[in-house]
Amino acid sequence: MANENQNQNQIKIELPKEELQGRYANMAMIAHGPNDFFIDMILRGPNMPQARVQSRIIMAPQHAKELMLALQDNIRRYEQNFGEIKVHRPSGSGNIMDFPLPKGQA
């Protein structure tokens, strides 16, 4: 009976071929309204005045919080295996995550 309930809770997830490679982002912007969070994943090229949104994710507040908790857990496990992730975030950056480019690419 327990195995039957477990099978009912499983979700088959499809990954289309065009999504296999994913999208690279080195910047993210997060905004929210009363009912939704908007997460724009952005690609910023070196020395370029414009950046392009690679993907926009819109989710309910409870799903955004679940994503945050899942990321925290995965980061904790990553750092246990590979060491601390260093973060260089300028003060006052608010809802923009501007991931610095590696040295030599700026």
Side-chain angles (χ1 to χ4, degrees):
M1 182 90 172
N3 193 20
E4 186 177 309
N5 287 338
Q6 189 176 23
N7 287 339
Q8 289 176 349
N9 292 329
Q10 291 182 352
I11 299 172
K12 183 179 177 183
I13 297 174
E14 180 183 342
L15 181 60
K17 285 183 181 180
E18 60 271 10
E19 296 297 330
L20 282 174
Q21 288 186 313
R23 304 277 188 290
Y24 180 77
N26 55 12
M27 186 175 174
M29 290 179 58
I30 303 170
H32 65 274
N35 301 310
D36 303 293
F37 275 76
F38 294 80
I39 305 169
D40 288 337
M41 302 305 293
I42 301 164
L43 177 60
R44 183 190 78 177
N47 302 317
M48 297 187 74
Q50 288 186 310
R52 181 181 178 118
V53 172
Q54 298 295 306
S55 184
R56 171 174 275 188
I57 305 297
I58 305 168
M59 53 179 52
Q62 64 269 27
H63 295 145
K65 189 163 188 177
E66 289 174 2
L67 173 63
M68 178 196 70
L69 295 171
L71 281 170
Q72 285 177 333
D73 182 54
N74 276 270
I75 289 169
R76 179 187 54 77
R77 288 187 282 146
Y78 176 96
E79 289 183 331
Q80 284 176 345
N81 289 324
F82 303 107
E84 181 184 357
I85 300 169
K86 304 274 190 246
V87 177
H88 305 285
R89 190 165 187 208
S91 62
S93 57
N95 292 331
I96 299 174
M97 291 183 295
D98 188 1
F99 313 126
L101 295 170
K103 290 184 179 182
Q105 291 187 17

